[in-house]
Amino acid sequence: MSYLNELNASQLEAVKSIHGPTMVIAGAGSGKTRVLTFRIAYMLEQGIDPFNVMALTFTNKAAREMTERIGKIVGGTEAKNITMGTFHSVFSRILRYNSDRIGYPTNFTIYDTQDSKSLLKDIVKELNLDDKIYKSGMVLSRISSAKNNLISADAYAQNADIMKEDEQSRRPELANVYKTYVTRCFRAGAMDFDDLLYQTNVLLRDFPDVLHYYQQKFKYILVDEYQDTNYAQYLIIKKLAAVYENICVVGDDAQSIYSFRGANIQNILNFRKDYPDFKLFKLEQNYRSTKNIVEAANSIISKNQDQIKKTVWTDNSDGSKINVVRTLTDNEEGKVITNKIFNFKQSGVETYNAFAILYRTNKQSRSFEEALRKINIPYKIYGGISFYQRKEIKDLLSYFRLTTNHRDEEALKRVINYPKRGIGKTSIENIIIAASTYGVSIWDVINNFQQYPVALNAGTKSKLYEFATMISSFAAQLDKLNAYELAQTIAKSSGILRELYNEKDKGPEEVERYQNIEELLAGIKEFTISQVEDADLSLSEFMIDVALLTDADQQSTEEKNHVTLMTIHSSKGLEFPHVFLVGLEENLFPSQMALNSRTDLEEERRLFYVAITRAKESCTLSYAASRFNWGSLVTSEPSRFIDEIDQNYLHIETPQRGVGKSLSGFSGGFERSLSGGLNKPLGSNSGSFKSIDKVGPGKNDQNVLGDLKVGYNVMHDRFGKGKVTKIEGEGADKKATIFFPNHGAKTVLLRFANLAIIED
């Protein structure tokens, strides 16, 4: 047990306490994955049967890595007998094994978000509803929320409060859409991701023998990231652990940031109520970050009321203070941060992988992308379109899906006329209508026009027959060929490879599409040669793996030398030597939508905490005084979160050029309380600055330039000293033309000009 020597005292206690309900609160960077791994290894060494252990992880990749590490510690292949993976991967296999109980085929398809949205768009159209009101994303979110709270389509329609909400939002037909969606998924032999949890609850609720079997099988249950579990996940775990109560949950309430996905922080906060005799262990030593970063993060999260108190600390060096940067605009923010990355690199940082730019919303990436491109710094955006969502990949995967499950409606619609085989849009719509009329699948219709007549000409019926025959021939080889052999056969025989090859001469995008198919086939080949002895190497098994990939499984930030750009939500679980947290402005971060309740604001603060604790060596916070929003330039106020950091851990960066106090009246609470001279003009040769209080007739922000006249000398932060040559407009639209010796005449909107009046 030499591996136990790698643990500190708190970690060792958590590892050795293997019986009864246990909660491990793991602060950021405290080594929780090591504790989880070593705990399972210790359990096996104490004689616990690995077949009786279920460990639920954040990603499938993490599960594989933990299994490998446990195997190295305990030796042999026993670690492979542990049931380990994400909630969705573990319970999808349980559902496949028991699919007959709930009326699904063993080879049911798992719809991704794109599939679900496509189906919902069709349903909205068929029900003659307004697709601008019944937007697929909104409808799917509503259905997802219902399923995560175990509300069936029938229960949804019978709930007066829910129906009233839908009426008030002008979506009274949502219940009908939900019911139709469930019916269509069932008919297609498909589940969406929420169904994997919803149907598991149904299985355990309606079949006591199944519940008993898994209660006896999983005598020891471990759950990682417990603060991110939703009600459906919570209930599954509670039921399975009810007999032996050997349940260990690991997490950090301070990093609960997924309420928009249904995560409920109360699950971890109320653990002690579910298990009054539980044991609590706190992992408080941070191995990741410098002292300044750790203490700054502590000062932030201490403002939250709903939390399990802990004191995170570190033996690491003090490191530099958190840098705070103010820029005039969002475009300037992009340039300033990019220059900092360039300077870091010049000073000796080895690779661009050391840098991450984190933001609250995806749309903020634009200014950073432009700035990085201009000075040729490589970057990659995470959270964009994933490899498996690219059109050509989805097309080929749809052939695979249809081969394993002929009832898969979304897959069939996608490839029935791709590559083009002369089956028109009207013909396809007629087939879909017939399937809906007779309550059968599209596949049933195209295979039996006598029983399900459709108004199609003989030529179209012949082409449909050829298509169905081709798919059936693929299916006949499912048990004869391994995944790679069958995938290659399908890629060639379907015509997809030929189609993409013929397009290769058209341009780089077409070449990339062909290369992506090659990459997919290479990945399938790797799947067939990397499995353990006697593993299932079929295409069906490969498709199960692909369907259950999480965003984090599909993203590797270490494969190439590039700066990482991502949302803070996407960054959870990652770490970088140097982090730039940008766009720290009120109504952006915290989000305007989070300002209506303490609960929402505290989640935003936890998100801020997560962002800062991604940093190992340095952390820079930036905000812009003005930002374009829907085409209009609006003034911004610094985020309250900057103000909440203990000043001892902050360094307020001084602007590099003269910045007079903005005559637009911009002044946030942070600048008033912390920055001192942050907005005061710099330099001794710029003339004396006229007191802002003596300019303008009143305190109204829009009128502080009331006395600005032609002939006045002013200082602009970017163009330097200039003379006013013309004034026009009134109120908020008031503009001045100013001549700058080094830049010529510029016309500026006064409320956003950031000017200072100077006296020679």
Side-chain angles (χ1 to χ4, degrees), residues 387-404:
F387 178 78
Y388 289 99
Q389 292 297 327
R390 298 178 190 275
K391 179 188 180 302
E392 62 277 10
I393 300 301
K394 285 280 286 185
D395 290 338
L396 186 50
L397 289 178
S398 290
Y399 270 104
F400 297 168
R401 283 167 44 179
L402 193 56
T403 297
T404 58

Side-chain angles (χ1 to χ4, degrees), residues 450-663:
Q450 289 184 333
Q451 187 172 353
Y452 310 113
V454 186
L456 301 172
N457 61 46
T460 300
K461 287 183 178 180
S462 176
K463 291 166 186 171
L464 287 165
Y465 174 77
E466 290 173 5
F467 171 74
T469 301
M470 177 181 66
I471 299 298
S472 295
S473 71
F474 297 156
Q477 301 176 77
L478 274 169
D479 296 328
K480 299 175 183 176
L481 303 179
N482 68 29
Y484 176 70
E485 294 165 341
L486 183 51
Q488 207 173 33
T489 298
I490 294 173
K492 291 177 180 176
S493 301
S494 66
I496 284 185
L497 269 184
R498 182 173 60 253
E499 177 93 357
L500 294 176
Y501 184 81
N502 291 337
E503 291 182 353
K504 280 178 65 179
D505 295 333
K506 293 183 179 179
E509 290 184 4
E510 286 73 20
V511 172
E512 184 180 0
R513 283 199 284 269
Y514 185 79
Q515 291 173 339
N516 284 338
I517 293 295
E518 288 183 322
E519 178 65 23
L520 174 62
L521 293 173
I524 299 174
K525 179 69 173 179
E526 184 180 352
F527 166 81
T528 62
I529 62 178
S530 63
Q531 302 296 311
V532 297
E533 190 176 346
D534 298 327
D536 185 349
L537 304 180
S538 69
L539 187 63
S540 300
E541 189 67 16
F542 174 78
M543 290 305 294
I544 292 172
D545 277 5
V546 168
L548 293 166
L549 284 174
T550 66
D551 291 342
D553 288 320
Q554 296 176 39
Q555 297 174 357
S556 171
T557 59
E558 300 174 0
E559 56 193 19
K560 290 181 181 177
N561 182 23
H562 55 240
V563 175
T564 296
L565 276 67
M566 63 189 353
T567 64
I568 304 167
H569 282 100
S570 298
S571 74
K572 189 166 178 293
L574 303 177
E575 59 182 42
F576 303 90
H578 308 287
V579 167
F580 297 88
L581 178 53
V582 301
L584 277 166
E585 298 136 34
E586 284 291 297
N587 299 323
L588 181 56
F589 193 21
S591 165
Q592 188 172 15
M593 294 184 292
L595 302 179
N596 295 323
S597 72
R598 178 178 297 280
T599 298
D600 291 341
L601 182 59
E602 290 202 350
E603 174 148 336
E604 287 287 290
R605 189 176 288 113
R606 292 194 295 269
L607 189 61
F608 185 48
Y609 174 83
V610 165
I612 287 182
T613 55
R614 298 311 94 200
K616 297 169 70 175
E617 299 172 23
S618 78
C619 182
T620 297
L621 312 180
S622 69
Y623 64 96
S626 60
R627 182 176 296 274
F628 273 99
N629 190 20
W630 298 104
S632 299
L633 190 65
V634 296
T635 54
S636 307
E637 184 177 331
S639 169
R640 69 188 68 192
F641 293 152
I642 305 178
D643 212 1
E644 291 179 355
I645 302 175
D646 188 318
Q647 297 178 47
N648 292 319
Y649 309 113
L650 291 179
H651 169 255
I652 312 302
E653 185 168 306
T654 303
Q656 296 302 303
R657 48 185 181 263
V659 180
K661 176 160 180 170
S662 166
L663 292 179

Side-chain angles (χ1 to χ4, degrees), residues 337-347 352 355 375 377:
I337 297 304
T338 296
N339 286 334
K340 286 184 177 296
I341 292 173
F342 179 81
N343 292 334
F344 259 118
K345 188 73 166 58
Q346 294 298 103
S347 67
Y352 285 116
F355 304 101
I375 58 175
I377 292 180

Side-chain angles (χ1 to χ4, degrees), residues 257-320:
I257 59 174
Y258 293 122
S259 67
F260 66 97
R261 293 182 186 171
N264 186 355
I265 191 175
Q266 296 304 319
N267 290 349
I268 194 166
L269 296 178
N270 292 335
F271 187 81
R272 66 185 66 212
K273 293 182 180 178
D274 291 332
Y275 307 96
D277 58 341
F278 85 113
K279 286 169 282 189
L280 174 65
F281 300 96
K282 296 181 181 180
L283 307 183
E284 297 173 303
Q285 183 174 359
N286 180 297
Y287 292 93
R288 175 189 299 156
S289 308
T290 62
K291 284 181 181 174
N292 274 310
I293 292 171
V294 169
E295 292 298 336
N298 284 343
S299 69
I300 295 158
I301 204 64
S302 66
K303 307 294 189 298
N304 272 10
Q305 291 183 8
D306 286 340
Q307 63 173 298
I308 298 170
K309 293 291 183 182
K310 60 183 176 298
T311 304
V312 179
W313 58 277
T314 185
D315 273 337
N316 294 339
S317 64
D318 289 347
S320 58

Side-chain angles (χ1 to χ4, degrees), residues 168-341:
Q168 291 174 341
S169 65
R170 297 189 302 127
R171 301 183 184 97
E173 292 299 314
L174 262 176
N176 194 16
V177 175
Y178 182 9
K179 187 169 185 177
T180 306
Y181 174 75
V182 170
T183 301
R184 292 280 282 276
C185 284
F186 185 76
R187 187 188 303 159
M191 294 190 195
D192 61 22
F193 259 61
D194 297 311
D195 282 324
L196 297 178
L197 303 178
Y198 179 87
Q199 295 295 345
T200 299
N201 272 289
V202 170
L203 181 69
L204 300 180
R205 179 196 69 195
D206 294 350
F207 301 94
D209 60 316
V210 175
L211 174 61
H212 177 75
Y213 172 81
Y214 287 108
Q215 285 174 334
Q216 296 304 313
K217 177 175 175 58
F218 300 131
K219 295 178 180 176
Y220 294 85
I221 299 173
L222 302 95
V223 186
D224 192 13
E225 304 288 2
Y226 191 65
Q227 77 279 351
D228 293 330
T229 54
N230 59 33
Y231 179 65
Q233 292 166 323
Y234 161 79
L235 211 57
I236 291 169
I237 294 305
K238 197 166 188 303
K239 285 181 180 178
L240 292 178
V243 175
Y244 294 99
E245 292 195 347
N246 291 318
I247 176 172
C248 173
V249 300
V250 181
D252 182 6
D253 56 294
Q255 297 185 64
S256 178
I257 59 174
Y258 293 122
S259 67
F260 66 97
R261 293 182 186 171
N264 186 355
I265 191 175
Q266 296 304 319
N267 290 349
I268 194 166
L269 296 178
N270 292 335
F271 187 81
R272 66 185 66 212
K273 293 182 180 178
D274 291 332
Y275 307 96
D277 58 341
F278 85 113
K279 286 169 282 189
L280 174 65
F281 300 96
K282 296 181 181 180
L283 307 183
E284 297 173 303
Q285 183 174 359
N286 180 297
Y287 292 93
R288 175 189 299 156
S289 308
T290 62
K291 284 181 181 174
N292 274 310
I293 292 171
V294 169
E295 292 298 336
N298 284 343
S299 69
I300 295 158
I301 204 64
S302 66
K303 307 294 189 298
N304 272 10
Q305 291 183 8
D306 286 340
Q307 63 173 298
I308 298 170
K309 293 291 183 182
K310 60 183 176 298
T311 304
V312 179
W313 58 277
T314 185
D315 273 337
N316 294 339
S317 64
D318 289 347
S320 58
K321 292 186 176 183
I322 290 180
N323 204 29
V324 181
V325 179
R326 174 189 186 269
T327 63
L328 289 173
T329 66
D330 48 348
N331 281 337
E332 186 183 13
E333 185 181 36
K335 294 172 186 174
V336 169
I337 297 304
T338 296
N339 286 334
K340 286 184 177 296
I341 292 173

